[in-house]
Amino acid sequence: MHKGRVVFGAMDEVVFGRPAAEAAVEQIDRLRANRAFLMVSGTLNRNTDEIEKIRKALGPRCVGTFDAMPPHTPREAVIGAAAQARAAGADLIVTVGGGSITDGAKAVQLCLANGIDTVEGIDRIRAVGGAPPPMAAPTFRQISIPTTIAGGDFSASAGVTNEKTRVKEAVRHRLAMPRAVILDPAITLHTPEWLFLSTGIRAVDHCVEGICARESHPYADAQALKGLSMLVQALPRVKADGGDLDARMECQIGTWLSMGSLSSGVPMGASHGIGYVLGAEFNVPHGYTSCVMLPSVMRWNKSANAERQALVSAAMGHPGQDAGDVLDAFIAGLGMPRSLADVRVGPEHFDRIAQQAMKTPWVPRNPRKIDGPAQVREILILAA
């Protein structure tokens, strides 16, 4: 008999297939916001007219723009953005960009609500042992317009990198989840191919680790299996024709579904946990961490969850085949990196990576039990 609990997030709407500027105005009207603060991709702001379209559509309701969020959301940039939003008197944040910007806005909301204005102050809101401390709820919310497809827009959690310790730390609150997400495939045309496709593998990773988790349940499976099927069909179409908006839309919807497991309480596993360390310590892009780790994690886990892995192979169109091999071939077919060596992480770093990975929330919840760093090292050797 199934047992469990699904907690629904604090998101109102997902709008898909509509121009970003038009949909953003409708959402701001709906929320009756008057002072929208933009947190956006610097590349989009400087090299395209996409952000200017949104500024013009908002008119005087746009009170500022922050476009300096580096990858992996460092604390310093969060505090800088929070100071700018505070000075602007914002009553809504609109993000346009990738996962680091989306996560940054979540952290900014919590900093503003809790009077945090220093890098050290973020200690007051970071999760410890996977549990967030008591904190004030955000006083205003966020609308997200993603340009990549990692899926963080559908989560109430954010990863913020502590530059001093080189550790990515979680901050979360149920109201940090965006109030609405706008999926516009046209705005992703500016995203570099490697970034779009690799974040698509991050979404695949969400599906796969959700399906293979010990805590999986039918509600989560339904979304993850459909999301995986959509992603594996659409990503090669984007690779073949970058201008295929239908394929990009399928990828965006598949990514939305990919977050169904995590948002309904199903934990991720070692691929995500090790990926946190690779990103924070070695600056490996989020999508690349999944490209190089997921097949090896699947192979290491197979003795514990072969039946669940069979669902992955079937959803990817290869029933009866080894899921790790199917994923490996799929990732290689997109031209993505396939090993730790490809992302310049060598065996001399494996001991430290393994020790740090044990401190993440996901490695201890991997479907095949990981008792200590030595077993993480076994996975790293498979991915070397």
Side-chain angles (χ1 to χ4, degrees), residues 204-217 220-221 224 258 260-262 266-269 272 308 312:
V204 166
D205 199 350
H206 284 121
C207 293
V208 169
E209 291 216 300
I211 294 163
C212 292
R214 289 191 299 266
E215 297 91 336
S216 61
H217 52 73
D221 286 349
S258 80
S261 295
L262 188 58
V266 178
M268 299 292 98
H272 276 75
R308 300 297 297 182
V312 171

Side-chain angles (χ1 to χ4, degrees), residues 101-174:
I101 294 165
T102 305
D103 277 7
K106 296 174 191 176
V108 165
Q109 292 173 78
L110 294 174
C111 286
L112 293 176
N114 290 276
I116 293 169
D117 56 9
T118 66
V119 168
E120 295 74 21
I122 292 179
D123 284 337
R124 290 166 40 204
I125 58 171
R126 68 180 177 90
V128 179
M135 68 182 83
T139 54
F140 59 86
R141 303 284 296 283
Q142 170 183 351
I143 294 171
S144 181
I145 304 170
T147 59
T148 60
I149 49 173
D153 314 271
F154 300 97
S155 164
S157 181
V160 176
T161 298
N162 185 328
E163 296 274 77
K164 289 184 179 178
T165 62
R166 300 303 301 166
V167 172
K168 180 165 281 190
E169 301 163 336
V171 298
R172 66 173 64 93
H173 188 283
R174 66 177 299 274

Side-chain angles (χ1 to χ4, degrees), residues 5-259:
R5 179 171 177 249
V6 175
V7 179
F8 293 97
M11 183 177 292
D12 298 342
E13 297 187 7
V14 178
V15 180
F16 49 95
R18 299 272 306 287
E22 176 185 300
V25 170
E26 290 180 358
Q27 288 298 319
I28 290 168
D29 289 343
R30 179 179 71 85
L31 298 173
R32 299 180 181 178
N34 295 304
R35 302 185 65 79
F37 181 74
L38 305 187
M39 288 183 61
V40 303
S41 157
T43 302
L44 279 184
N45 193 33
R46 292 186 291 271
N47 300 339
T48 79
D49 65 350
E50 298 292 352
I51 306 305
E52 187 59 25
K53 288 179 189 174
I54 295 171
R55 274 195 289 259
K56 285 183 177 179
L58 295 180
R61 290 188 292 179
C62 178
V63 296
T65 303
F66 178 89
D67 71 352
M69 183 60 68
H72 306 296
T73 319
R75 283 187 177 201
E76 289 79 359
V78 168
I79 294 300
Q84 196 171 326
R86 185 183 292 112
D91 65 5
L92 182 74
I93 298 177
V94 178
T95 62
V96 187
S100 296
I101 294 165
T102 305
D103 277 7
K106 296 174 191 176
V108 165
Q109 292 173 78
L110 294 174
C111 286
L112 293 176
N114 290 276
I116 293 169
D117 56 9
T118 66
V119 168
E120 295 74 21
I122 292 179
D123 284 337
R124 290 166 40 204
I125 58 171
R126 68 180 177 90
V128 179
M135 68 182 83
T139 54
F140 59 86
R141 303 284 296 283
Q142 170 183 351
I143 294 171
S144 181
I145 304 170
T147 59
T148 60
I149 49 173
D153 314 271
F154 300 97
S155 164
S157 181
V160 176
T161 298
N162 185 328
E163 296 274 77
K164 289 184 179 178
T165 62
R166 300 303 301 166
V167 172
K168 180 165 281 190
E169 301 163 336
V171 298
R172 66 173 64 93
H173 188 283
R174 66 177 299 274
L175 294 181
M177 175 179 282
R179 189 86 184 261
V181 175
I182 297 166
L183 301 178
D184 175 8
I187 206 168
T188 72
L189 290 171
H190 304 285
T191 304
E193 180 188 82
W194 73 267
L195 182 57
F196 188 88
L197 296 178
S198 67
T199 54
I201 298 302
R202 187 68 167 178
V204 166
D205 199 350
H206 284 121
C207 293
V208 169
E209 291 216 300
I211 294 163
C212 292
R214 289 191 299 266
E215 297 91 336
S216 61
H217 52 73
Y219 179 83
D221 286 349
Q223 295 175 84
L225 288 166
K226 178 62 175 177
L228 180 59
S229 177
M230 293 181 74
L231 286 161
V232 299
Q233 292 178 64
L235 284 167
R237 291 168 54 201
V238 175
K239 173 73 172 176
D241 177 7
D244 187 340
L245 290 181
D246 287 336
R248 287 175 178 269
M249 182 83 269
E250 294 286 296
C251 288
Q252 288 184 309
I253 293 175
T255 298
W256 173 17
L257 293 172
S258 80
M259 294 298 290

